[in-house]
Amino acid sequence: MTQVERPPTLTQTVLVVDDHRTFAELLAGALEASGMVSLGIASSAAQAVAMARDLQPDVVVMDIEMPHQDGLAATRRVREVAPGAVVAVVTAHRDPDWVVRAAQAGASAFVPKDGSLAEMIDVLSRVQPGQMLVAPSTFAGGAPRVPSSAADRPQLTRREQEVLDCLGRGMPVKGIARVLGISVETCRGYVKALHAKLGVRSQLEAVVRAQELGMLGPGGR
């Protein structure tokens, strides 16, 4: 376990958790070069939980696949001992089911391990508690199901598409209602309609499914 004392600064602090030492060190160095403060590197889930508890980082970059305990289980424990931290999971998995599992574990971002460093830094700079940012490259390379024509996509009203776009930007229902000038209850009705049309059960699944279908604009996650 390598760690440093947390400096008295407002700069975003980050803890990298990965059992591949070289990758972890390169990533920590790159994040520091981007302006973040590395609090250290943990090579196991147990070390991650202990360091998160002691150092209270702003962001934890968590590898999903590690020996003895997986990163999703570690994510749950980190959220318990460092409730102010947001967790960004980094993984080779691209299936949307993994995005849902990561969110259920308490993660706030999902980044493919073979994505670009620029993308990762962008996601880490925007991640916030209570949301789920999915890196665009998650659905690159043909992994998701892509419909053969526009006819395969559910037809949305203009307002439903506006609500979906806002969900894709990570906005909560109350924020969407305020931006669109509608009541919270009306907004919830649009969200329920989106769930039905997309065949999903949660806002996160709606965003993931919409990304699969190419229904989110450049401003979406």
Side-chain angles (χ1 to χ4, degrees), residues 11-17 23-24 26-38 57-63 85-91 107-112 116-129 131-136:
T11 303
Q12 192 175 43
T13 57
V14 60
L15 170 65
V16 175
V17 184
F23 173 84
L26 290 173
L27 177 57
L31 294 177
E32 282 212 319
S34 74
M36 299 180 185
V37 174
S38 174
D58 297 316
V59 180
V60 177
V61 181
M62 178 76 70
D63 184 22
V86 292
V87 179
V89 297
V90 181
T91 175
S108 294
F110 189 95
V111 186
S116 71
L117 178 61
E119 178 183 64
M120 180 178 292
I121 292 173
D122 175 64
V123 170
L124 295 181
S125 68
R126 293 187 293 117
V127 65
Q128 296 180 22
Q131 299 180 1
M132 184 59 164
L133 280 177
V134 182

Side-chain angles (χ1 to χ4, degrees), residues 159-197:
R159 184 64 89 187
E160 287 170 348
Q161 184 64 54
E162 290 174 343
V163 172
L164 179 61
D165 289 341
C166 289
L167 289 175
R169 290 194 291 271
M171 296 175 61
V173 170
K174 289 183 179 179
I176 297 173
R178 184 168 58 252
V179 168
L180 298 182
I182 58 179
S183 71
V184 173
E185 287 305 314
T186 297
C187 187
R188 286 176 178 152
Y190 284 121
V191 171
K192 288 181 180 178
L194 288 170
H195 288 181
K197 289 187 176 183

Side-chain angles (χ1 to χ4, degrees), residues 62-80:
M62 178 76 70
D63 184 22
I64 283 184
E65 296 182 285
M66 291 186 295
H68 308 304
Q69 185 178 39
D70 68 85
L72 295 185
T75 293
R76 295 186 182 92
R77 290 286 295 123
V78 166
R79 295 290 296 120
E80 291 173 0

